[in-house]
Amino acid sequence: MKDEDIVERIQKNPKFVQFVRMRNNYSIILSVMMMIVYFGYIGLIAFDKSFLAIKISAGSVTSIGIPMGIGVLVFTIIITAIYVRRANTEFDAAKDEIVKEASK
């Protein structure tokens, strides 16, 4: 069987269409979440510096902006790990099943 035939069979498979839609929706949701967190933090830097300058406690050198910035980085790592975990399990299994069906 030629590769072109397999590709065509995969593209016409309803499971493939559903898979692509599911993966794209998941990616968009995670991307929007990341953009909200990132641009929210940047917006605070641009428009409310006084809030970010609030000290964590009396006599503290660290302002609230530092842990929030670290929180953005941690959120980025967590959201990436969530996507990678799902991609390596659910998405790969679905992809393998679709390719196996098309190769028959």
Side-chain angles (χ1 to χ4, degrees), residues 19 81-96:
F19 168 72
I82 289 169
Y83 182 83
V84 167
R85 182 169 185 236
R86 188 166 183 195
N88 287 342
T89 56
E90 185 180 337
F91 293 164
D92 281 353
K95 180 228 6 141
D96 291 342

Side-chain angles (χ1 to χ4, degrees), residues 57-77:
S57 63
S60 173
V61 179
T62 305
S63 67
I64 199 166
I66 299 298
M68 286 182 72
I70 293 170
V72 170
L73 295 174
V74 170
F75 181 78
T76 303
I77 292 167

Side-chain angles (χ1 to χ4, degrees), residues 12-69:
K12 289 181 180 179
N13 188 335
K15 287 182 181 179
F16 176 73
V17 174
Q18 180 184 4
F19 168 72
V20 169
R21 187 177 301 121
M22 175 189 61
R23 190 192 61 198
N24 288 346
N25 287 340
Y26 191 68
S27 298
I28 289 169
I29 289 168
L30 293 180
S31 295
V32 167
M33 289 171 57
M34 187 64 235
M35 290 173 67
I36 289 170
V37 169
Y38 178 76
F39 287 114
Y41 184 67
I42 297 300
L44 280 174
I45 291 170
F47 299 111
D48 200 0
K49 290 180 182 145
S50 59
F51 173 74
L52 293 175
I54 296 172
K55 302 293 182 197
I56 291 179
S57 63
S60 173
V61 179
T62 305
S63 67
I64 199 166
I66 299 298
M68 286 182 72

